Amino acid sequence: MEGKLFLKQYLIWVMILLLGQLHGYKSCILKERNALLDLKKFLISTTEGGQSEPVLPTWTNDTTSDCCQWERVKCNSTSGRILELSIRGLNLKESSLLNLSLLHPFEEVQSLDLSESKFGGFFDGAEVYKSLSRLRNLEILDLSSNKFNSSIFAFLNAATSLTTLLLQGNNMNSPFPAKELSPLVKLKFLDLSGNGFSGSMELQGICKLKNLQELDLSQNNLVGEFPLCLTVLTGLRVLDLSSNQMTGKLPSSLANLESLEYFSLFDNNFEGFFSLESLANLSMLKVFGVNSRSNSFQVVSEGSWKPKFQLNAIALWSCNLEKLPHFLLHQKDLRLVDLSDNNISGQFPSWLLATRRVASQG
């Protein structure tokens, strides 16, 4: 009887195994499971005292537990290798250092989320500056809202497989690392906002990143004129340079950025005249905003030109506008129009309200 029971259990186990293979699913590999447990042990050692919630409770020593089913982990269903890993938002000690060697076993990882965890840097032994190069498949790295300083860029140079780098909100308050990112030629999405970077708006390093689609440098202290080299990045869909210390005139070569959908230039010190007609051929543009702290900046929109774009939102506050831009007559998708604090006089045109009504009904 016991033999029949054993045989039945064996057959069930074989069937489960075969079904798993037919569906292309494998549990996580032992090497990476052990690496996750080592990482957990390290994180517990750097956690603030008195934390009420356990750290990563599903990451367990129970040998029957499949680490591909653990929280914050996603595996390749065929190979069982870890593809995505998140230790976001852990209550770690202020400015903790992350041991990068703990991540080396995850050789196929594509996405790492280390955000909102108070990390202040990395430590890693002799190969410290090449450590990220061992993660050859890493495409997405989120280091936002931590305590990193500008020394982080010496590590990031080696992560040449990256397509997305999120470093916003680290408040580095240091000179802008203009050339440090130039080796990351595969980058498509780069967010360096909210870091208090100082120095020149000279962006030659970033302007070499020909694959960039989204660039956010807002909420820094960068000075100088609009970087002309940015206008060669014709694949840019999002460009946010708001809340800096930029000066001078806005160039007519903005017309080259034909892929732009979102364009924000708020809260700078621009001067001179800026013609909205220079944006006329940006057929993808959906959101545009500009203003200046300088009283010598003036936005103009002459004539009855017709743009190729259909905006969802436009904000031109404190731009010394004297006339309502006539091109708004052609905008049927508007949801937001902000023309506050300007010098527009005369009767408010009913056609703008009619345009808004059409948009709201659509």
Side-chain angles (χ1 to χ4, degrees):
M1 187 70 178
E2 290 181 0
K4 289 183 178 180
L5 181 60
F6 173 80
L7 180 60
K8 183 183 290 186
Q9 291 174 336
Y10 176 78
L11 289 173
I12 291 173
W13 180 83
V14 169
M15 288 175 67
I16 292 173
L17 180 62
L18 289 174
L19 284 171
Q21 291 176 344
L22 285 172
H23 289 281
Y25 178 77
K26 293 182 180 179
S27 60
C28 71
I29 63 173
L30 181 60
K31 175 183 176 182
E32 293 189 348
R33 187 181 193 280
N34 290 336
L36 287 175
L37 294 175
D38 288 341
L39 178 60
K40 176 178 178 176
K41 186 184 301 183
F42 169 79
L43 293 171
I44 290 174
S45 73
T46 59
T47 300
E48 285 281 12
Q51 177 165 305
S52 57
E53 297 293 327
V55 177
L56 303 170
T58 63
W59 296 22
T60 173
N61 284 312
D62 182 353
T63 55
T64 65
S65 176
D66 179 5
C67 70
C68 286
Q69 306 300 317
W70 292 354
E71 61 183 312
R72 301 167 178 259
V73 175
K74 182 177 179 180
C75 295
N76 183 309
S77 60
T78 302
S79 68
R81 301 301 296 265
I82 292 174
L83 298 181
E84 299 179 15
L85 177 60
S86 170
I87 51 176
R88 176 189 182 96
L90 297 182
N91 188 27
L92 304 183
K93 295 176 183 176
E94 193 79 12
S95 299
S96 298
L97 299 181
L98 175 62
N99 186 346
L100 280 175
S101 65
L102 293 171
L103 304 177
H104 291 168
F106 310 115
E107 296 172 359
E108 293 186 15
V109 70
Q110 298 173 3
S111 174
L112 276 175
D113 186 348
L114 310 178
S115 63
E116 299 180 17
S117 295
K118 302 181 185 177
F119 285 122
F122 298 140
F123 66 86
D124 195 10
E127 294 296 312
V128 61
Y129 293 112
K130 297 181 180 179
S131 195
L132 282 176
S133 66
R134 297 181 58 168
L135 304 178
R136 295 183 177 87
N137 296 296
L138 185 62
E139 297 179 357
I140 301 171
L141 181 58
D142 189 347
L143 302 175
S144 58
S145 301
N146 279 293
K147 303 291 182 180
F148 290 113
N149 58 39
S150 58
S151 66
I152 186 69
F153 291 97
F155 297 88
L156 298 177
N157 274 339
T160 54
S161 59
L162 284 181
T163 61
T164 298
L165 176 58
L166 307 177
L167 255 176
Q168 68 268 29
N170 277 275
N171 298 306
M172 298 185 187
N173 298 311
S174 62
F176 184 63
K179 299 179 181 179
E180 295 282 357
L181 296 172
S182 56
L184 307 184
V185 295
K186 294 183 179 180
L187 274 183
K188 295 180 180 179
F189 308 101
L190 176 60
D191 192 341
L192 299 175
S193 62
N195 283 302
F197 287 127
S198 59
S200 172
M201 255 290 183
E202 178 61 44
L203 303 179
Q204 288 298 331
I206 287 179
C207 291
K208 292 180 181 179
L209 306 178
K210 304 299 184 183
N211 293 307
L212 270 186
Q213 297 179 19
E214 297 188 13
L215 175 61
D216 191 341
L217 296 175
S218 63
Q219 300 177 58
N220 287 296
N221 294 305
L222 300 174
V223 300
E225 298 188 356
F226 186 97
L228 288 177
C229 70
L230 281 182
T231 62
V232 304
L233 299 180
T234 55
L236 276 177
R237 295 188 293 106
V238 173
L239 179 57
D240 193 341
L241 302 178
S242 58
S243 299
N244 278 286
Q245 305 292 331
M246 297 173 66
T247 56
K249 296 182 178 180
L250 288 171
S252 59
S253 56
L254 293 179
N256 297 335
L257 298 172
E258 295 184 354
S259 299
L260 272 188
E261 300 174 21
Y262 179 97
F263 191 17
S264 178
L265 296 168
F266 287 122
D267 198 26
N268 279 283
N269 298 311
F270 297 120
E271 302 164 340
F273 291 94
F274 173 61
S275 173
L276 291 172
E277 195 168 357
S278 63
L279 307 177
N281 291 326
L282 306 188
S283 60
M284 307 298 291
L285 194 62
K286 297 297 182 186
V287 177
F288 176 67
V290 64
N291 82 303
S292 178
R293 307 182 197 101
S294 169
N295 290 328
S296 63
F297 178 68
Q298 184 173 9
V299 170
V300 295
S301 181
E302 302 295 341
S304 57
W305 57 278
K306 186 175 181 179
K308 292 184 177 180
F309 52 73
Q310 284 291 325
L311 295 175
N312 296 142
I314 184 169
L316 303 171
W317 37 279
S318 300
C319 290
N320 288 308
L321 269 174
E322 296 178 350
K323 298 179 181 179
L324 192 75
H326 190 269
F327 80 90
L328 293 177
L329 176 64
H330 305 288
Q331 302 301 295
K332 307 302 181 183
D333 296 330
L334 282 172
R335 297 292 183 271
L336 171 68
V337 178
D338 187 346
L339 304 176
S340 58
D341 196 20
N342 279 292
N343 302 317
I344 301 172
S345 59
Q347 186 176 359
F348 192 87
S350 59
W351 55 260
L352 182 57
L353 292 177
T355 300
R356 294 298 306 281
R357 281 197 296 270
V358 171
S360 62
Q361 291 170 4

